[in-house]
Amino acid sequence: MLNELPPVEHIDARSVSEAARLLAKHGPRARVIAGGTDLLGLMKDRVEGESMPLPDLLVNTKGISDMGVIRLKDDGGLQIGANVTLAEIQVSELVKERFDILRQACESVATPQIRNVATVAGNLCQRPWCWYFRQPAFDCFKKGGRLCYAITGEHQYYFSVMGLGVCIAAHPSDLAPSLVALGASVTVVDQNDRRVIPLDEFFTGPRQRFENVLRSDEIIVDIDVPSQADGTRGVYLKSRPRHSWDFALASSAVLLDVSDGRCERARVVMGGLAPYPYRSRAAEDVLKGKAVDEHSAKEAAREAMNDAKGLPMNRYKLDLGRTIVRRAILAAAGTVRD
Amino acid sequence: MTQVEPEETQPHLLVKGWVPPSLDRDFTVVGKPVNRIDAPEKVTGRARYAGDMKLPNMLHAKILRSPYSHARIKRVDTGEAARLHGVRAILTKDNTRGWSTLWYWVPQPAFPEVVTFVGQEVAVVAADDIDTARSAVNKIEVEYEKLPAVFDVQDALKNDAPRVLVDDSDAKEGNIFGSNPSVLSRGDINEGFKAADFVVEGTYKTPFQYPGSLQTRTCVAQWDGSRLTVYESCQGVWEVREQLARSLGLEPRAIRVVTKYQGGGFGGKGGAQRFVHYAAKLSMMTKRPVRLEFDRAEEFFLHPRRSAALAHFKSGVRKDGTLTAMYARVVLNIGSGGNYGRVPYDAIMLPHTLYRCPNTYFEQLGVHTNLQYSGPVRSPTMMIAVSCLEAHVDEVAEAVGLDPIDFRLLNYNPYADQERRTRFSSKSLDKAMKSVADAIGWERRRQYAHSPRSGPRRRGLGMATYMYHGVGLPPYEANADVIIRRDGTCELHAGVTDIGTGSATALSMIAAEELGVEMDDVQIAYGDTDSARFASPSMGSRVIPEMGPAVLQAAAEARNRLFAVVAPTLQVPVGELRSAGGYIYPASNPSRRVAFKDACRELDQGSPVAGHGSRAPNPGSFPRKPNTDPMSFATFGAAAAEVEVDVETGEVRVLRTATAHEFGRVINPKLSASQHYGGVLMGLGFALLEEPLSDGRTGAMLNPDLHQYRMPTSLESPEMTPINIEGEDSYFAYSAKGAGEAIDTGVPAAIRNAVHNATGVWLREYPMTSDRVLSAIKKKEREELKTDKPSAEP
């Protein structure tokens, strides 16, 4: 194929500190590359603008071995290296035993080929899959322009119905809703420092050029998933136009801790419906202390979508979102209908 | 209705001249599941496609495209680009004035003064490497004067709509192709509606659809000072040769075009199109080979796509289910142009012909818009016709409470021309309908419709029927030569391109059968204008029905010449000799056989025997003049689908399909199955997923990629049952007719009708994406709540 990459320098970093040093030295035109499934496509398609220059340096972190391991922590939590691939999470026994919702989320991503190289941090940091953003001809808000073309244009699929702002692209990550539900955080390093950002503070809103708070000189080194109470069950459900290689029209990550027939703790997070993983505390409150059944699940799903507005071409997402949330709740409670 | 007795002609193989009598024995090769002959090269990577050609000193070309959907080009400044080191030549409208290229067969200026769609060619650069070519393209300065644009057909039909093709004589007034609708009619439509007990109508929409070939279009052109060689990825090497000769002012024999392997065509790679002309011109200017390859986005918007359609159908029917009147107005969005505006009856020929109905009125309009060209994609407008007609017919059947198959059989039309009562050479559509019904388990349909609607996942069955040409096309010039050499080699020379359908394999099988040798003994030369005589491009399901008779004739003639050589030895007359499986023997005494190879040894080293075959035209003329000159050759088929619809998400899963196609005879069941599978998946994509979307303000395509232009994946693939309906049709080689195009056509309406069976909702817009299905279901639910009426059971 002819879609050549623009000329770019590529350096294999041998350590996190070397990578951080390179990023600090070269500024915003340097970019971290691991799986590259999103970044290389953006570069080949020349998706650029004032706030997203084409990179002239790629700092490759794939060779940094620490970043590629999944580790069970002493407290029962999980530390996932930023460069662990989605395929590795899919087959990890550690993940399957206690964090199966993550495996489900990974399984739903793209295609086997992409999952073999795409990394967990890359999945969280991927750019919007809005077709205006991805087309070089439109200098949209995310690239540094002033307008969102999708609001008045075509917005059937990967667009928001909640948390609307300047940009209406829905956050595309399948892993984010599950990781937010699990209460995960990311560890981020720059050349001087290290900070831990809880994922529910990591993603920004529709009025920001970038979808997260990561600075251009920072690298995610790992993702920290806290231990879950015994009996916690999680389900990730996703509706998409095509059964493979498609992002969510609506998705839902639901974690339930049910004992003696009552819901002790609930986490309800949605994907594909808002510019960031959208957690609904209102839906969680509906479930808390109750038996999870058709009735409460339906009620919680209605609450979850309570703030949804819908645009002319995506109003169907209101019905769809409610269905996906309700089904995920029932599946997590083990009372799957049909 | 006047009844005219058709002229009776004795069916005969459609060849020029004499064919030796048939060997009159059981088939030894035809009908066997032979592997494709090019499979080993393809799966091992040895096959060299056009894009694999790397010639010494080869230049790389890149096209500059218009960012505007409608603009006059005021100025093109190539100064800075030309100064770039490594840039060898640049083509623009300024240095190519008067040079005409061919879009399919439509002459067009090589570069327009006024661009009419986003992505249209403005300049082409040839440079030492692709990066330099790309940089140079970015350095060309173009001054555009933007003009008002129109994208929607209804807007384009308004009186004050901007004119899309200002300079084109095709649209003298307004934006209608040819300025007037094309009309097919019979009887009196008003009387027909008066005679009806029910009138059923609906408006249907079908999307643009792309060929979506795996291989993007690529060519390497090499001018050596006197001769032009083009390694192409085209569907017809002879067609490209002729088009280049006309455009470049060369003698056709000074051009050689080669396409041995092809990564998919589906109609999109017909003709040289402009890009091959550019590569050839650049090579002639620079005296160096030039390579030009589309990237994926270009593959989308520089190739033709299927027209989109807006079709209104209205039918009158008696209580007993007989049709009294059929009306349709089909408006095609043909974009900035397209050769399929030149087949003005294609979308209405089917409704005019498929059902018995005394009163009809159909009109078709091709409407120009500021979108890319439209053109052939697997069953170009027939796909549109079937998808709308067969959706509508199910609604008519429901109105009179008839099973869709019973309704179709009740209104079955055996005639090619209903007024003159002329017959088709063969028609087994009733058999096709019954076979798909049996295969899919049609009896469950009633159960699905009447089962209590509980649970979100509901199943349904649907079917549709179709008619397609598949019998060769004018000029019916197909030639084949067979040479038998002293070493026992049987060479078959056939000027066709194998676009992936396996035609080289199938033609070799016909030759082997007629020669009486094994498949391995036949060596076929194809896809190269230097290796064979003229043949038409691979399109319109024409290769087997058109080349088949020529190959059969050539092989039979060569074989008889060899028979003449060995007849004295075997002491029997030529007419009593037979051959099969590599042996020649007297019909009366097969044990007195000689090996075919031994017989060949009697040939002189320098004088092989040869046979020549040439196709004769189908009886009747073309273009068809409907009503006066009926089409009487066609293929027919039916599709059935079982779906599961999730009524809470709108997701439609196709669980299984059955497709029956009337082949006449199947040469190779493996290859025919491939056509069924490919047809089902292409139809499924059209039905459920594939939809290019353009920005409504700029006309720029938003999803020129394989991600959001969603073609089905293996996960969408249903369980598929291919059924071949066989029967005698003596006009064709072993009765074999075409199959490549048509099988996709019945699939969308079958799926759509199945969705209705499952949900009670009639979808009238393709593709039936989950958002459309969900919205339609919810709309129905809300309406039912409002009117408080129970859900209507079909």
Side-chain angles (χ1 to χ4, degrees), chain B residues 249-518:
Chain B
L250 296 172
E251 286 296 325
R253 66 175 180 277
I255 302 173
R256 177 187 176 203
V257 181
V258 184
T259 298
K260 182 143 187 215
Y261 303 100
Q262 173 98 303
F266 308 105
K269 288 174 182 164
Q273 305 185 7
R274 288 179 304 281
F275 99 114
V276 189
H277 294 83
Y278 296 154
K281 181 73 119 189
L282 288 166
S283 181
M284 292 172 77
M285 283 166 76
T286 58
K287 314 277 190 291
R288 289 170 67 173
V290 173
R291 180 182 197 272
L292 182 46
E293 179 182 10
F294 284 178
D295 63 29
R296 181 52 66 185
E298 288 174 311
E299 179 70 19
F300 274 102
F301 52 69
L302 292 182
H303 263 162
R305 57 181 179 178
R306 191 193 308 285
S307 314
L310 184 67
H312 187 76
F313 275 76
K314 182 176 169 185
S315 294
V317 61
R318 286 206 184 90
K319 277 186 198 131
D320 66 1
T322 49
L323 285 162
T324 60
M326 292 183 88
Y327 162 88
R329 182 174 197 255
V330 183
V331 182
L332 301 175
N333 187 336
I334 62 171
S336 291
N339 67 327
Y340 270 79
R342 280 162 212 275
V343 187
Y345 298 102
D346 253 33
I348 51 178
M349 178 56 90
L350 179 88
H352 187 68
T353 312
L354 198 58
Y355 294 104
R356 198 178 58 234
C357 181
N359 308 296
T360 65
Y361 187 90
F362 299 107
E363 63 177 18
Q364 175 183 330
L365 286 80
V367 178
H368 288 290
T369 55
N370 287 105
L371 294 170
Q372 68 183 85
Y373 294 111
S374 61
V377 175
R378 203 175 197 159
S379 318
T381 23
M382 197 57 92
M383 182 78 150
I384 298 167
V386 178
S387 300
C388 298
L389 173 71
E390 289 294 90
H392 174 66
V393 161
D394 258 45
E395 295 182 36
V396 181
E398 194 195 49
V400 290
L402 276 177
D403 175 275
I405 294 181
D406 295 341
F407 179 86
R408 285 172 172 85
L409 290 171
L410 179 70
N411 291 287
Y412 193 75
N413 162 41
Y415 301 111
D417 182 312
Q418 298 187 28
E419 286 162 306
R420 300 204 303 163
R421 303 214 169 178
T422 52
R423 296 268 173 183
F424 288 103
S425 66
S426 63
K427 177 174 179 177
S428 313
L429 180 55
D430 46 351
K431 221 196 263 179
M433 278 191 249
K434 284 166 189 155
S435 328
V436 296
D438 288 346
I440 205 83
W442 188 250
E443 65 284 352
R444 289 175 300 144
R445 185 181 172 275
R446 290 192 68 78
Q447 199 179 306
Y448 285 154
H450 296 289
S451 64
R453 301 218 187 279
S454 68
R457 294 193 179 86
R458 295 173 196 170
R459 292 193 175 187
L461 290 170
M463 61 86 64
T465 65
Y466 64 83
M467 172 180 89
Y468 192 81
H469 212 55
V471 287
L473 287 166
Y476 303 103
E477 274 183 52
N479 304 283
D481 301 285
V482 170
I483 301 169
I484 305 173
R485 297 198 184 273
R486 190 172 188 233
D487 65 0
T489 314
C490 303
E491 289 171 15
L492 168 62
H493 296 260
V496 292
T497 311
D498 186 340
I499 63 169
T501 51
S503 39
T505 307
L507 295 175
S508 300
M509 290 171 76
I510 293 174
E513 184 68 66
E514 204 57 30
L515 289 163
V517 299
E518 304 283 354

Side-chain angles (χ1 to χ4, degrees), chain B residues 182-262:
Chain B
S182 310
V183 174
L184 291 179
S185 67
R186 67 175 165 262
D188 183 327
I189 188 77
N190 293 323
E191 289 302 315
F193 280 117
K194 271 185 213 156
D197 295 314
F198 300 99
V199 172
V200 181
E201 60 188 314
T203 302
Y204 307 87
K205 282 173 87 170
T206 67
F208 297 107
Q209 189 184 25
Y210 287 91
S213 298
L214 206 56
Q215 173 201 33
T216 60
R217 189 83 183 256
T218 306
C219 75
V220 176
Q222 181 180 30
W223 172 251
D224 69 3
S226 59
R227 200 153 195 262
L228 179 70
T229 303
V230 182
Y231 300 96
E232 241 277 64
S233 47
C234 63
Q235 294 186 207
V237 288
W238 290 92
E239 182 184 43
V240 169
R241 186 178 97 141
E242 181 64 29
Q243 291 174 349
L244 289 175
R246 281 198 205 175
S247 169
L248 299 168
L250 296 172
E251 286 296 325
R253 66 175 180 277
I255 302 173
R256 177 187 176 203
V257 181
V258 184
T259 298
K260 182 143 187 215
Y261 303 100
Q262 173 98 303

Side-chain angles (χ1 to χ4, degrees), chain B residues 449-710:
Chain B
H450 296 289
S451 64
R453 301 218 187 279
S454 68
R457 294 193 179 86
R458 295 173 196 170
R459 292 193 175 187
L461 290 170
M463 61 86 64
T465 65
Y466 64 83
M467 172 180 89
Y468 192 81
H469 212 55
V471 287
L473 287 166
Y476 303 103
E477 274 183 52
N479 304 283
D481 301 285
V482 170
I483 301 169
I484 305 173
R485 297 198 184 273
R486 190 172 188 233
D487 65 0
T489 314
C490 303
E491 289 171 15
L492 168 62
H493 296 260
V496 292
T497 311
D498 186 340
I499 63 169
T501 51
S503 39
T505 307
L507 295 175
S508 300
M509 290 171 76
I510 293 174
E513 184 68 66
E514 204 57 30
L515 289 163
V517 299
E518 304 283 354
M519 262 297 277
D520 292 347
D521 298 326
V522 177
Q523 290 179 3
I524 181 170
Y526 64 100
D528 184 342
T529 53
D530 272 10
S531 76
R533 288 189 289 149
F534 179 90
S536 290
S538 299
M539 47 157 282
S541 284
R542 73 199 293 182
V543 176
I544 296 303
E546 217 168 279
M547 282 299 285
V551 170
L552 189 152
Q553 185 186 26
E557 192 177 295
R559 174 201 71 216
N560 264 30
R561 294 214 163 109
L562 184 66
F563 281 1
V565 173
V566 292
T569 320
L570 286 165
Q571 294 172 316
V572 282
V574 168
E576 282 177 34
L577 283 177
R578 299 285 180 272
S579 57
Y583 292 95
I584 299 171
Y585 54 88
S588 56
N589 187 0
S591 62
R592 276 185 60 218
R593 63 186 198 178
V594 294
F596 192 94
K597 283 199 159 59
D598 292 337
C600 292
R601 285 210 192 93
E602 295 187 32
L603 297 170
D604 287 344
Q605 186 77 15
S607 327
V609 291
H612 309 288
S614 292
R615 177 68 147 78
N618 289 11
S621 66
F622 198 95
R624 301 185 291 272
K625 279 178 250 124
N627 291 348
T628 60
D629 188 17
M631 174 171 68
S632 49
F633 292 88
T635 60
F636 299 87
E642 178 167 10
V643 301
E644 184 175 82
V645 184
D646 186 328
V647 296
E648 292 176 348
T649 64
E651 186 189 324
V652 178
R653 258 178 200 273
V654 182
L655 303 175
R656 54 187 65 82
T657 60
T659 45
H661 183 74
E662 190 208 339
F663 280 84
R665 176 172 279 103
V666 170
I667 299 293
N668 183 335
K670 272 196 175 181
L671 297 176
S672 79
S674 291
Q675 292 308 318
H676 280 277
Y677 300 149
V680 168
L681 291 177
M682 209 148 176
L684 190 151
F686 181 94
L688 300 178
L689 293 166
E690 294 177 39
E691 187 173 35
L693 286 166
S694 295
D695 177 52
R697 292 152 297 204
T698 59
M701 184 175 168
L702 294 170
N703 53 343
D705 54 65
L706 297 177
H707 171 212
Q708 291 208 62
Y709 179 79
R710 296 180 175 87

Side-chain angles (χ1 to χ4, degrees), chain A residues 1-5 7 44 46 129-132 134-135 137-138 148-150 152-154 156-158 239-247 249 313 315-317 319-320 322-324 326-327 337-338, chain B residues 62 130-131 134 216 291 293-296 456-457 646 648-649 651-653 689 691 693-698 700-704 706-713 715-716 769-771 774-775 778 782:
Chain A
M1 282 294 297
L2 252 188
N3 255 334
E4 312 79 12
L5 277 173
K44 287 176 178 175
R46 268 71 175 174
W129 284 90
C130 164
W131 34 32
Y132 290 95
R134 298 268 160 178
Q135 282 289 323
F138 297 93
C148 170
Y149 292 87
T152 51
E154 302 285 324
Q156 292 88 325
Y157 302 121
Y158 301 156
S239 172
R240 49 183 158 177
R242 179 169 62 184
H243 299 111
S244 174
W245 196 17
D246 230 332
F247 291 95
L249 297 175
M313 294 174 189
R315 296 223 163 86
Y316 72 95
K317 284 197 173 189
D319 287 315
L320 182 64
R322 280 192 283 267
T323 294
I324 296 302
R326 175 173 50 81
R327 286 184 180 179
R337 204 176 72 174
D338 68 73
Chain B
K62 190 80 193 157
I130 191 69
D131 284 331
R134 190 195 274 270
T216 60
R291 180 182 197 272
E293 179 182 10
F294 284 178
D295 63 29
R296 181 52 66 185
R457 294 193 179 86
D646 186 328
E648 292 176 348
T649 64
E651 186 189 324
V652 178
R653 258 178 200 273
L689 293 166
E691 187 173 35
L693 286 166
S694 295
D695 177 52
R697 292 152 297 204
T698 59
M701 184 175 168
L702 294 170
N703 53 343
L706 297 177
H707 171 212
Q708 291 208 62
Y709 179 79
R710 296 180 175 87
M711 298 201 290
T713 70
L715 294 182
E716 275 74 34
T769 47
S770 55
D771 56 318
L774 182 60
S775 302
K778 290 293 170 187
R782 277 161 200 152

